Amino acid sequence: MNDPHRHKPSREQAHSVQDLLRELFPDTHRELFGDGLDPDAPATLGLYPVADGRLALVHGDQLAEFTPIDPKGRNALHCDLCHYTRSRSEAVMYRVVVAARRTRYVTLCTPTHSCQQRAGERGLLSLAERIFPIEPFGPDEH
């Protein structure tokens, strides 16, 4: 049955379960599907919404969590991804912890899908280079 209200992902946004397992949980992917990874396949790159308004930046096997910050002030914000200037209602500031005592702050348009389209792969790669690699900052992280 077709649901007319169901969001259909665009061709660029659609990822299979196998793709997500390979990128986010490589050990589980190896257990289920073996090591038959295509070395020529491009790494996953994109911003994906997760719970509570957070975003996840995925680049290959790297993952960064963007936590929204409560807005303060009335000034317009400049998006770090597509470089458009937006009002406070059209952009959100995020905090990304990249090391034990190092945090980056990023401003992104809402919703991020159209922002990612404007920025293209080059813009996403530039953002990923500013964020990654994330250094271990806890006793249980390697």
Side-chain angles (χ1 to χ4, degrees):
M1 219 172 155
N2 289 337
D3 182 5
H5 301 291
R6 185 175 171 197
H7 172 72
K8 294 180 183 177
S10 69
R11 190 163 257 255
E12 293 175 13
Q13 188 182 25
H15 295 283
S16 71
V17 172
Q18 187 174 352
D19 291 339
L20 292 174
L21 276 173
R22 180 177 40 247
E23 298 298 333
L24 300 175
F25 306 101
D27 292 334
T28 302
H29 182 271
R30 275 191 286 280
E31 288 175 21
L32 295 174
F33 302 106
D35 276 332
L37 296 177
D38 182 5
D40 298 327
T44 298
L45 176 64
L47 280 165
Y48 303 96
V50 292
D52 303 328
R54 292 176 288 148
L55 292 174
L57 175 64
V58 179
H59 183 234
D61 62 349
Q62 302 176 96
L63 174 72
E65 184 177 294
F66 289 52
T67 306
I69 300 172
D70 289 332
K72 296 194 175 27
R74 292 180 290 192
N75 296 340
L77 298 171
H78 180 79
C79 179
D80 292 315
L81 182 57
C82 70
H83 300 289
Y84 276 46
T85 300
R86 299 287 184 194
S87 70
R88 288 276 174 177
S89 64
E90 298 174 314
V92 176
M93 285 192 71
Y94 294 92
R95 176 185 300 122
V96 184
V97 178
V98 295
R101 294 185 178 180
R102 223 172 62 209
T103 303
R104 299 234 191 270
Y105 294 91
V106 178
T107 303
L108 298 170
C109 298
T110 54
T112 58
H113 178 69
S114 56
C115 179
Q116 289 182 69
Q117 286 181 331
R118 283 190 298 274
E121 186 175 350
R122 181 182 239 170
L124 282 167
L125 281 171
S126 176
L127 180 64
E129 288 172 359
R130 290 179 44 204
I131 302 298
F132 297 118
I134 292 182
E135 300 172 13
F137 52 88
D140 59 342
E141 291 194 23
H142 303 291

